[in-house]
Structures are given as C-alpha cells and as structure tokens.
Amino acid sequence: MLNRRDAMIRLGQLGFGASLLPALAQAQAAGRTGSAKNVILLYLWGGPSGQDMWDLKPHTPEYIRSEFQPIASRVPGFQLCELLPRLAENTDKLALLRSMTHDSVVHEPSVYYTLTGKKNPTLVVPRNQRRRSDFPNLGAMIAAQTPPGPLPASVTIPRPIGHDGVTYAGTYAGWLGPRFDPMELKSAPNTSEMPTHPLEFAPGLDATRVIARQGLLQQIERHDGVLQSARSTEGLSSFYEQAHRMIASPAARHAFTLDREPAWLRDRYGRNEYGDSFLLARRLIEADVRMVSVNWMYIMSNGKVANVWDTHGGIGGLGSVGGFDMLRANYCLPPLDQALSALLEDLQTRGLLEETLVVVTGEFGRTPRINPTQGREHWGPCYSALLAGGGVRGGQIVGASDKMGAFVRDFPIAPEDLLATVYHALGLDPAAMVRERDGRPVPMCEGRPLRNLF
C-alpha cells in the first residue's frame, strides 16, 4: 500500500522538467511534417571504425590500411567492407556521412554530446551518473512533443548505456523530468538503478494494485495543496497514466512479443540480442512508438559489459583478441551486416521505410594508425554515420575524410547537426525554444539540419 509518506518521498525525488506542447501533433495538423514519423537510432557504443567498415583507405601505408578489403555495392563508387556484403546490397537506401567530427576522445562526454547535442565539461569520468540537471537527449525531446499513447514515445532497448554502477549521462530526459524518460526494459549492466518506465511492474505490483495506488495518489493530491502545486507530481502521475494506457492496450504489450513473428524472419534478423533488438525496434515503430534507441553492447562471460565497437584489442574478457578479430567476431560486423540489412529490407517491404528514419552512429571513430594489438584508439576529429529512410535520398555519400582518414577534408558535420537533421526529418524546428527548470529559454538544438540529404 502506498502511504502518504511514501508518495511524498517519491515525489521529492522527481525532477521538475519543462512543459512542452505536443509539437509533432501540431506540425502534422498543419501539414508541416517531414517524411519521417518515427526514428530508429542504432547506437554502436564504443566508437565504430570507419576505416574498417565504410571509409576504407586501401592505398594507405600498412600501419593505417585495414586488413579488410573494400567491395562494390549496389551503388557505383559506394564501397563497403568485405564483411558487410548484405548491407552492400542495400546502399541504394543509405546516405553515408563521412565527415562527422568533434574534439573529444573520451567515451562518457562523447556519448553525452552525440545524444544531446550539448557539450558537458562538468562530467566526472568515469563516474558520470545521469542526473536531472542533464540536457535532455534526442528521445526525450521527441517524447516531450508527442501526444500520449499506449506506449511511451521513446523506448530504449535492450538497455541503456552504462557499466560498473553508472548509467551514462545523456541517456534520459534530464531536466525535462521523468515523464519524458524513455521506457527501458532493463537497467544498465552492473548497476542498481531501476530502469525508467519498466515494461514489467515491480514484484508484487499487478495491474489492480497500480489502479489502487493511482486512486490513493489522486486522493492525496486532492487534499494536499502542496502536492497539487508541485510540478514534480507530473513525473509520478505520468507513470501511472502510462501504466493505465498499457493495461488498456494489449496490443501495446504484444509489441514486445517476438514469437509472433514468422520463424524465417527471426532467422533473417539473426537469433541473437542484436537481431532481436532490431526486429523489436520495427515492431515498436508499428505500435506507434515515436523513437526507438538500440544500444549495441555485449555481456561477457564474466557478467560485465563490453562496448565491443571500442576495438582497441587485447580485452581480457573477450579473450585478448586483436581489434580486427573483434570486428570479425559474432558481436560486431557479421551480426550488424545481418540485422541492419534485414531491418532496411523489412521496413521497405512493409512500406515503413519512407516514414522511418534509421540512424546508425557511435560516439566517435577510431585513429588512422593501427595499434600494437591490431586495433585502433579513440578518435573524434573524423568519423562516419549512416542514415536511411525518412525521406533521405539513398545511394549518396556526404562529406569526405582526408587520405589517411584522420581529419575532415570536406563538409564537417557536428553531432548537433545530425540531431538537428533528425528533428528536421520529423517536421520539428531545431531552433524552437524550450524552458529549463529555472524557466530560462534554450533552443532545442543548436545544429544545422542537413536539408540536402532529403
């Protein structure tokens, strides 16, 4: 039973956030939206190596040149790594951005920057636990401008980024408050933090008890002027409202049931956590989730998480293999090739690709020089990202790196530009003002949308 003291404690722990109108609904009513209605963000946490995937430099010296060969694709001149043959058959759907750039080479601030479009010099690495003072991430901004539905507007699968007791800053709604947090099916690995808006209720808390607790909360709010006036009640109230919507919509809960898919399609995506996550992302989009974030990570045999795109090589929990062998393994390029190509083809077959913007990126790239463990180090000055669907013209390469893949040669694109492009695809104005907890207006995003992609 939730007593008044419990409610007060929980309410006191919730952030204030900002109040936003459902701008996506307004834009749709006014006919101002872009082609995209939904977004799937495939986040290759760790920093994927463009020089070994989609910006190979076959004519560079051996200490830079990838072990992998470039192969032709469906689009002339658009080459990919030999370990991505299925994706090569789908380059007519892809826009490759080869000139992403920023100045960080550290995971934590780079994750924050690429997910929020804001730099945060206050992050204490590695103890960068997310806080309500954080700038809201992409999913939260989209959720804040989306009318309520049976499922939250933003869902993170299979879990948020984090490890060793920390859930990374930049992975939730920050000062927008808990009502705009993504639904998280699981917590970050090796942390005690509960996931936001979990699909399953806490042990012993069934639908009937949720309804009873909401009734009690309403009584408290009616009889306590302090609670009625506190903006922090929005977070707790919205949790119960969301629970009610899910209870009332079996279809919403069925969206998470992959067994409803035919066996051949499960096989096509790959029967592993990556394939299941990509397939689940498509199902959630069909269930009217506005944004799905898929965070790519690997749980090692010791129970700890590995950001396997961080291909330094020599990681003990992965058998101390080299960086190129990491890319060859069943947790990097092969499952990416299988699952990403399956997602693109599946969305197109169902008529969903035009209205679903697919974004593939990480927090940075890798150094041109190969290290002694046959891997590459962190590198932010030049890296790549992929876009597909949502009105993006396929078969195009935007920007260029220099001959070594070290720096941008043409058309630099900052993380906030990529986020602004997502907002633009959804018909949102990146420069629209939102209010922080103290009422100060700030732009939703300070980047420039890449309109020529569409």
Side-chain angles (χ1 to χ4, degrees):
M1 188 85 178
L2 178 68
N3 58 39
R4 185 178 184 281
R5 178 179 177 276
D6 292 334
M8 290 292 288
I9 290 173
R10 291 198 64 184
L11 290 172
Q13 292 173 339
L14 296 173
F16 288 94
S19 178
L20 293 176
L21 294 174
L24 281 174
Q26 293 180 358
Q28 287 176 347
R32 296 195 309 271
T33 58
S35 296
K37 296 180 180 178
N38 317 294
V39 180
I40 298 176
L41 172 63
L42 308 175
Y43 200 81
L44 307 185
W45 176 42
S49 177
Q51 300 95 325
D52 301 303
M53 296 168 65
W54 33 59
D55 191 11
L56 284 80
K57 305 292 183 180
H59 304 298
T60 52
E62 187 176 356
Y63 63 86
I64 291 175
R65 186 171 64 248
S66 176
E67 287 188 6
F68 309 136
Q69 297 298 313
I71 58 172
S73 76
R74 182 177 292 272
V75 177
F78 195 144
Q79 295 183 325
L80 297 181
C81 157
E82 62 184 312
L83 296 181
L84 298 172
R86 289 178 169 176
L87 192 59
E89 289 299 312
N90 287 274
T91 52
D92 58 322
K93 306 176 184 67
L94 298 175
L96 172 59
L97 313 183
R98 282 182 171 168
S99 55
M100 296 295 301
T101 182
H102 62 74
D103 58 6
S104 174
V105 293
V106 181
H107 292 296
E108 291 85 349
S110 298
V111 167
Y112 188 94
Y113 186 19
T114 54
L115 293 180
T116 68
K118 291 286 187 179
K119 295 182 180 180
N120 186 349
T122 69
L123 290 180
V124 179
V125 178
R127 313 305 296 180
N128 66 314
Q129 180 67 37
R130 59 187 182 184
R131 292 176 172 80
R132 285 297 165 199
S133 58
D134 295 339
F135 198 86
N137 70 358
L138 174 66
M141 284 294 191
I142 292 173
Q145 301 181 69
T146 302
L151 284 168
S154 177
V155 177
T156 295
I157 54 177
R159 56 185 74 82
I161 297 169
H163 58 85
D164 298 328
V166 173
T167 306
Y168 274 29
T171 56
Y172 74 165
W175 46 255
L176 278 179
R179 66 180 298 183
F180 300 123
D181 283 340
M183 170 186 276
E184 296 169 352
L185 307 190
K186 302 177 183 178
S187 58
N190 318 128
T191 67
S192 59
E193 184 181 60
M194 290 294 293
T196 61
H197 304 299
L199 178 63
E200 300 298 336
F201 299 122
L205 183 61
D206 58 18
T208 302
R209 295 186 66 189
V210 168
I211 295 171
R213 289 187 179 197
Q214 187 183 48
L216 177 58
L217 178 63
Q218 289 172 343
Q219 291 181 38
I220 293 172
E221 291 175 339
R222 279 198 302 269
H223 294 97
D224 194 312
V226 175
L227 281 175
Q228 288 178 356
S229 62
R231 292 178 67 198
S232 58
T233 62
E234 295 176 5
L236 188 57
S237 297
S238 65
F239 174 82
Y240 291 114
E241 291 166 5
Q242 186 67 68
H244 269 276
R245 288 193 292 269
M246 290 185 63
I247 292 167
S249 174
R253 296 177 68 84
H254 291 163
F256 295 90
T257 310
L258 294 182
D259 289 343
R260 292 173 176 267
E261 297 289 339
W264 69 265
L265 189 61
R266 295 285 307 276
D267 293 339
R268 175 64 183 90
Y269 274 86
R271 290 180 181 265
N272 49 54
E273 187 170 67
Y274 315 115
D276 286 348
S277 294
F278 283 38
L279 178 54
L280 178 56
R282 191 222 79 206
R283 290 182 61 86
L284 291 173
I285 290 300
E286 288 181 309
D288 293 327
V289 172
R290 187 69 68 178
M291 175 169 176
V292 182
S293 300
V294 180
N295 294 322
W296 191 294
M297 59 187 72
Y298 178 73
I299 306 300
M300 299 183 288
S301 58
N302 60 10
K304 292 186 176 295
V305 64
N307 49 345
V308 287
W309 296 102
D310 191 22
T311 51
H312 299 279
I315 300 173
L318 296 174
S320 300
V321 298
F324 289 116
D325 285 334
M326 289 178 66
L327 288 170
R328 291 186 181 95
N330 61 359
Y331 45 70
C332 273
L333 286 177
L336 176 67
D337 184 52
Q338 181 171 1
L340 180 53
S341 61
L343 175 64
L344 296 175
E345 293 166 7
D346 197 11
L347 289 172
Q348 185 175 59
T349 299
R350 294 168 184 272
L352 295 172
L353 187 60
E354 183 63 24
E355 64 185 39
T356 304
L357 181 65
V358 180
V359 183
V360 185
T361 189
E363 67 266 43
F364 44 54
R366 316 303 298 181
T367 56
R369 182 179 289 272
I370 299 168
N371 67 21
T373 49
Q374 293 302 293
R376 303 181 194 267
E377 309 300 326
H378 305 171
W379 192 247
C382 186
Y383 64 105
S384 298
L386 288 177
L387 297 178
V392 169
R393 284 184 294 108
Q396 60 176 317
I397 298 175
V398 177
S401 60
D402 64 18
K403 63 180 181 180
M404 297 294 184
F407 298 99
V408 172
R409 189 188 73 202
D410 179 52
F411 199 69
I413 304 169
E416 60 265 35
D417 298 331
L418 183 58
L419 298 189
T421 302
V422 175
Y423 293 131
H424 173 75
L426 291 168
L428 297 173
D429 180 6
M433 304 302 286
V434 295
R435 294 188 179 277
E436 291 198 63
R437 291 188 297 179
D438 60 5
R440 180 172 62 93
V442 296
M444 187 166 65
C445 179
E446 295 179 337
R448 73 187 197 285
L450 308 178
R451 291 183 172 88
N452 289 340
L453 290 177
F454 300 90

